[in-house]
Amino acid sequence: MNTDYKNMQAPHLIIIGGGFAGIELVKQLKNKPVKVTLLDKNNYHTFQPLLYQVASGGLGPDAIAYPLRKIISKLSNIAFRMAEVLTVDTNKKCVSTNIGEFNFDYLCIATGSQTNFFGNAELEKYSMQLKSITDALDLRSDILQEFEKALSESDTSNITRILNFVVVGGGPTGVETAGALAEMKKNVLPADYTELDASKMNVYLIESASRLLASMSEASSTGAAKFLNELGVQIKLNIAVVSYNGNTITLNNGETIETDTVIWSAGVKGKSIDGISIDALGKGNRYKVNAHNQIEGYKNIFAIGDIALMNGDEKYPNGHPMVAPVAVQQAQLFAKNLTHLISNKPLQSFHYFDKGSMATVGRHKAVFESFGIKMQGYIAWLGWMFLHLMLLVGYRNRLIVFINWMWNYISYQRAIRIITRPFVRK
Ligand SMILES: Cc1cc2nc3c(=O)[nH]c(=O)nc-3n(C[C@H](O)[C@H](O)[C@H](O)COP(=O)(O)OP(=O)(O)OC[C@H]3O[C@@H](n4cnc5c(N)ncnc54)[C@H](O)[C@@H]3O)c2cc1C
């Protein structure tokens, strides 16, 4: 029994969100003079960078999820409650959740982000997204159901629509998802659906900017586009989506594509919490924070990770990129600053240390850049694999992912091609 937490007389910190930022923060606060309650609507942490592999049947959901209770089980000053936070009362210093209320001395919001459909209700209704394990399982079912549907269809225009897959957004998620779909066309369709003509499957990648992977160098963008072209992905640059009605996607050059499946990976926005002043919200629905992650207008309320929009870092005038290393580094500094705050010591300012970025394309290609070194192709893919294995939480998950990747590599197959929970279209 965790008596330390129960009996602890220390300032109480509530953390909302057990994502990259939240779990790093609890680890850093181990044995510190602060009582911590971690709240998350799920009882697991999701390793979002590999969601696309769950969606394409390469990994099972348990390989990229990790129980939050396991993370805190040896941290005696920390407790976890599976609770969805509904509102915050900043005057009463209390959060309301679906399981009751929690009082706090300090609050840290680490709720991450959600898909941004930029107010287009139709796109939101009909597109698939990739932000959670549920989304990834829906997409996996949808892709496999489309293959099944194509088999019993005789009308060629219907087959075209069913086997057209459109990915919107040429960032890392879009590039990786399009590559995985193209691999399914190349390896899964010919093996599992021998009665289908695999050449009828089309994968489109639509990007409104002039290049893919805009956050990386021109060389990486060109490399990723080349690898995708080799896999047969049809890339459309400088083109935006106007509408999608569930059957037809219309582009701003007047072109239309008939498709049952649009995967929207063209943007995210912060996942804010009711009760925090809307004046504190900045661009992208993220909370404006100072260099100590303190939310504008509040002394005891902080935001870290994707939800935080930090102004003042010269290199990042529009806030830091919404990536895992920013979340982890902000959590590390906030843990330090919180103990300083409690003991009236001066706080340190946050500076992001960018170690580089990467994206994988298909089965064994990637683009990778770090500290001025740029790599592409097979070696970059080995680097990508190694780093993702190291970043996964838990030895079991690393082992499962490693075994699955080796199996996929040797067999050319996506291991988990099963429809366990059929996806029902809206
Ligand atoms: C498909 C995909 C691929 C990505 N690939 C990469 C990559 O390759 N490299 C990289 O660095 N970054 C990548 N990212 C971005 C990275 O995952 C995020 O930057 C990172 O997860 C941010 O961490 P966070 O802790 O701020 O939020 P999250 O990790 O999103 O965690 C937020 C947590 O808050 C919980 N939560 C939200 N609202 C509530 C509420 N009201 N009540 C209770 N709990 C709540 C959620 O359940 C979740 O556990 C990717 C993201 C996606 C979606």
Side-chain angles (χ1 to χ4, degrees), residues 3-48:
T3 48
D4 289 9
Y5 172 84
K6 273 201 154 170
N7 303 327
M8 203 172 174
Q9 298 297 320
H12 183 206
L13 168 74
I14 287 190
I15 304 168
I16 313 175
F20 282 97
I23 63 166
E24 183 63 25
L25 183 55
V26 292
K27 286 187 210 158
Q28 296 289 329
L29 289 172
K30 177 185 176 182
N31 295 335
K32 295 283 187 295
V34 54
K35 177 173 173 166
V36 182
T37 308
L38 172 66
L39 306 176
D40 199 295
K41 59 186 174 177
N42 299 316
N43 74 340
Y44 56 84
H45 164 77
T46 304
F47 190 80
Q48 294 178 16

Side-chain angles (χ1 to χ4, degrees), residues 29 34 76 79-80 110 163 200 252 257 266 275 282 330 389:
L29 289 172
V34 54
S76 61
F80 168 70
L163 292 180
K200 294 273 187 297
N252 67 351
I257 302 168
Q330 287 189 348
L389 278 176

Side-chain angles (χ1 to χ4, degrees), residues 80-101:
F80 168 70
R81 295 288 179 274
M82 185 172 142
E84 177 164 19
V85 174
L86 307 172
T87 57
V88 180
D89 187 327
T90 57
N91 293 321
K92 284 191 192 156
K93 295 190 188 172
C94 171
V95 296
S96 297
T97 77
N98 60 338
I99 60 161
E101 295 192 337

Side-chain angles (χ1 to χ4, degrees), residues 17 19-21 40-41 48-49 83 85 110-112 130 173 305-306 322-325:
F20 282 97
D40 199 295
K41 59 186 174 177
Q48 294 178 16
V85 174
T111 44
L130 202 51
T173 303
D306 278 6
M322 290 156 101
V323 290

Side-chain angles (χ1 to χ4, degrees), residues 384-403:
W384 177 91
M385 270 209 315
F386 176 75
L387 279 170
H388 279 74
L389 278 176
M390 289 303 103
L391 292 170
L392 269 165
V393 185
Y395 295 111
R396 178 185 173 274
N397 288 15
R398 284 182 200 152
L399 185 66
I400 293 174
V401 170
F402 181 71
I403 291 169

Side-chain angles (χ1 to χ4, degrees), residues 215-363:
S215 59
M216 295 180 79
S217 66
E218 291 265 3
S220 294
S221 300
T222 312
K226 177 175 158 269
F227 297 147
L228 285 170
N229 278 325
E230 284 166 7
L231 282 169
V233 174
Q234 301 182 44
I235 302 169
K236 291 177 185 291
L237 298 174
N238 293 309
I239 294 196
V241 171
V242 176
S243 64
Y244 176 53
N245 62 11
N247 292 315
T248 310
I249 187 165
T250 305
L251 310 178
N252 67 351
N253 62 352
E255 195 183 336
T256 57
I257 302 168
E258 296 298 304
T259 178
D260 277 358
T261 310
V262 168
I263 302 157
W264 185 260
S265 59
V268 287
K269 61 179 180 184
K271 199 162 184 316
S272 52
I273 295 277
D274 285 351
I276 303 286
S277 165
I278 52 164
D279 295 341
L281 281 173
K283 205 169 169 242
N285 205 49
R286 298 163 87 189
Y287 288 123
K288 292 182 263 177
V289 298
N290 64 15
H292 312 132
N293 285 91
Q294 207 160 24
I295 298 184
E296 197 176 281
Y298 298 96
K299 277 208 156 62
N300 59 340
I301 305 183
F302 300 79
I304 57 174
D306 278 6
I307 184 72
L309 179 71
M310 191 179 287
N311 295 311
D313 192 332
E314 279 171 19
K315 258 182 100 184
Y316 302 95
N318 297 316
H320 296 99
M322 290 156 101
V323 290
V326 171
V328 170
Q329 290 176 34
Q330 287 189 348
Q332 288 165 347
L333 184 71
F334 175 63
K336 239 188 226 170
N337 276 339
L338 183 67
T339 50
H340 284 199
L341 199 65
I342 291 168
S343 51
N344 282 321
K345 286 189 190 151
L347 306 186
Q348 289 174 25
S349 295
F350 178 76
H351 295 288
Y352 176 45
F353 180 46
D354 184 1
K355 294 178 194 156
S357 37
M358 57 185 130
T360 178
V361 190
R363 218 175 114 254

Side-chain angles (χ1 to χ4, degrees), residues 50-51 53-55 57-65 133 136-137 140 397 400-401 404 415-416 418:
L50 292 179
L51 278 173
Q53 294 222 353
V54 173
L59 294 172
D62 58 327
I64 65 158
I133 286 189
L137 290 175
R140 183 179 84 185
N397 288 15
I400 293 174
V401 170
N404 269 281
I416 305 146
I418 49 175

